Amino acid sequence: MLRSSRIYVAGHSGLVGGAIMRRLQRKGHETLITRSHAELDLTNQDAVNQFFDEQRPEYVFLAAAKVGGILANSTYPADFIRENLQIEVNVIDAAHRSGVRKLVFLGSSCIYPKMSPQPIKEEYLLTGPLEPTNEAYAIAKIAGLTMVKAYREQYGFNGISLMPTNLYGPGDNFNLETSHVLPALIRKFDDAKRAGAPNVTVWGSGTPRREFLHVDDLADAAAFLMDKYDGEDLVNVGVGHDVSIADLAALVAQVVGYEGEIVYDTSKPDGTPQKLLDNSRLLSLGWRPKVPLKDGITKTYRWYLESGSRQR
Ligand code: GFB
């Protein structure tokens, strides 16, 4: 990407798209193309085709997606599969037709089998059954990465697919019904501290293990791979180590300054027992994550307090 390149960030106001925007702006990219949801509905094929024909972006980050935590995924599977498939079909096809030079597609670590050996290598894709709580979302993401690969094979389209691990950071969703675990814990511990509540309820058993990547690291990796990687193989994006949900809860409580008890609600699902990506392919290309988990949580907590998310 040159400084003058026309770069479209689909989903620029979301957690991932927002971080990619910050990364590109910091590096001096001058022509960033964005559209709000109200301006461009990515599930509308005609509107997407018209947008690409008019704007002619050269590079595309496909960071628009319907996302959510374990409860949202298992409650609204139809919405997750429909919206994600529509966005992928419309954007990838329009990018190819309008002559985009390169597209970065963002998947998710939940595309891998529920019982994958750990850490999860890219080649474990489609080697076993998926985690049921997010099967619809995962299948939509598998369709997206397969589409990118198929367009490369049939048309020579330069699309690459990144599989980020669980993400967090400024711009996250802190709604307890739809959020992922890390922002949910920030909200729960902060609310409990203010209310002087004796305990905080964490879903599941506390034993599942998850890997957490700060979204600024993901954005850095996405821009790095846009510039440096042209292969058809997936690239996992992770930090290379994970924590149990119980350890994460203790860490978030410490950052927030909550000293009450942590109790577990085992009527809520645990989901996949462990999700740790093997990031050696990415490391071999020369990229390294920069944000340690505790620093990232501290910054995200500060953002939560300062952005007004607490009041929403
Ligand atoms: O972050 P999370 O919703 O996503 O949940 P997944 C991770 C773990 O944290 C699960 C537990 O074991 C949850 O039961 N957990 C504990 C909580 N307390 C809470 C809470 O208050 N809120 C939430 N949300 N979880 C999602 C997938 O799976 O991860 C998506 O559904 C996507 O498809 C995303 O892949 C990254 O890691 O289980």
Side-chain angles (χ1 to χ4, degrees):
M1 294 178 291
L2 302 173
R3 281 185 166 207
S4 58
S5 298
R6 297 176 61 74
I7 306 169
Y8 171 45
V9 180
H12 73 285
S13 57
L15 172 68
V16 172
I20 292 174
M21 291 292 292
R22 292 194 294 278
R23 166 68 169 69
L24 295 173
Q25 281 159 345
R26 211 168 46 243
K27 296 280 173 171
H29 291 284
E30 291 151 1
T31 316
L32 301 180
I33 304 167
T34 60
R35 288 293 181 277
S36 68
H37 197 116
E39 291 166 336
L40 176 63
D41 175 1
L42 293 175
T43 68
N44 178 333
Q45 189 172 29
D46 290 340
V48 172
N49 282 334
Q50 192 184 347
F51 164 76
F52 274 84
D53 283 345
E54 283 169 10
Q55 293 299 320
R56 300 266 158 198
E58 298 170 84
Y59 297 92
V60 174
F61 290 91
L62 179 38
K66 179 168 180 64
V67 300
I70 194 165
L71 187 65
N73 265 272
S74 50
T75 312
Y76 308 109
D79 297 344
F80 276 80
I81 193 163
R82 183 191 60 250
E83 281 186 40
N84 285 302
L85 285 174
Q86 286 175 326
I87 292 170
E88 290 159 6
V89 168
N90 294 345
V91 174
I92 296 166
D93 187 61
H96 157 62
R97 283 170 191 271
S98 67
V100 162
R101 297 165 78 103
K102 188 165 177 182
L103 176 144
V104 170
F105 174 69
L106 290 151
S108 165
S109 57
C110 69
I111 60 154
Y112 294 112
K114 175 181 174 111
M115 290 307 180
S116 282
Q118 308 284 322
I120 307 170
K121 291 184 189 298
E122 288 87 350
E123 49 267 33
Y124 298 165
L125 179 70
L126 294 174
T127 55
L130 298 162
E131 156 61 33
T133 54
N134 56 37
E135 189 178 47
Y137 174 74
I139 287 188
K141 287 293 183 183
I142 293 170
L145 67 90
T146 306
M147 199 172 160
V148 166
K149 185 163 165 262
Y151 273 56
R152 174 181 291 278
E153 278 168 19
Q154 189 177 335
Y155 303 123
F157 178 66
N158 193 4
I160 62 168
S161 295
L162 277 47
M163 297 304 124
T165 195
N166 287 32
L167 301 169
Y168 71 99
D172 213 336
N173 166 20
F174 290 84
N175 175 314
L176 293 180
E177 296 294 310
T178 54
S179 67
H180 291 101
V181 61
L182 201 151
L185 293 181
I186 288 181
R187 169 161 234 144
K188 285 180 178 179
F189 286 120
D190 182 68
D191 284 352
K193 184 176 84 170
R194 287 168 198 277
N199 55 54
V200 163
T201 302
V202 173
W203 296 351
S205 63
T207 59
R209 299 187 67 85
R210 295 288 184 275
E211 177 185 12
F212 295 96
L213 177 71
H214 192 278
V215 72
D216 287 348
D217 273 339
L218 171 70
D220 192 60
F224 171 86
L225 292 166
M226 177 70 102
D227 284 334
K228 299 259 189 310
Y229 179 73
D230 282 327
E232 74 158 49
D233 294 330
L234 306 182
V235 183
N236 287 341
V237 185
V239 292
H241 47 85
D242 59 0
V243 293
S244 70
I245 296 302
D247 288 344
L248 177 74
L251 187 58
V252 175
Q254 190 195 358
V255 168
V256 170
Y258 176 73
E259 290 175 351
E261 197 193 347
I262 298 172
V263 295
Y264 290 91
D265 174 2
T266 51
S267 71
K268 292 284 194 305
D270 268 346
T272 301
Q274 187 179 18
K275 222 173 0 175
L276 171 63
L277 295 180
D278 183 323
N279 63 0
S280 45
R281 182 170 289 163
L282 177 59
L283 298 193
S284 72
L285 293 166
W287 184 85
R288 295 286 177 277
K290 295 185 188 71
V291 186
L293 183 57
K294 192 170 176 191
D295 291 2
I297 295 174
T298 306
K299 281 193 216 147
T300 306
Y301 180 44
R302 198 177 311 135
W303 185 87
Y304 171 68
L305 297 177
E306 289 169 1
S307 63
S309 294
R310 200 170 77 75
Q311 284 76 31
R312 287 196 277 274

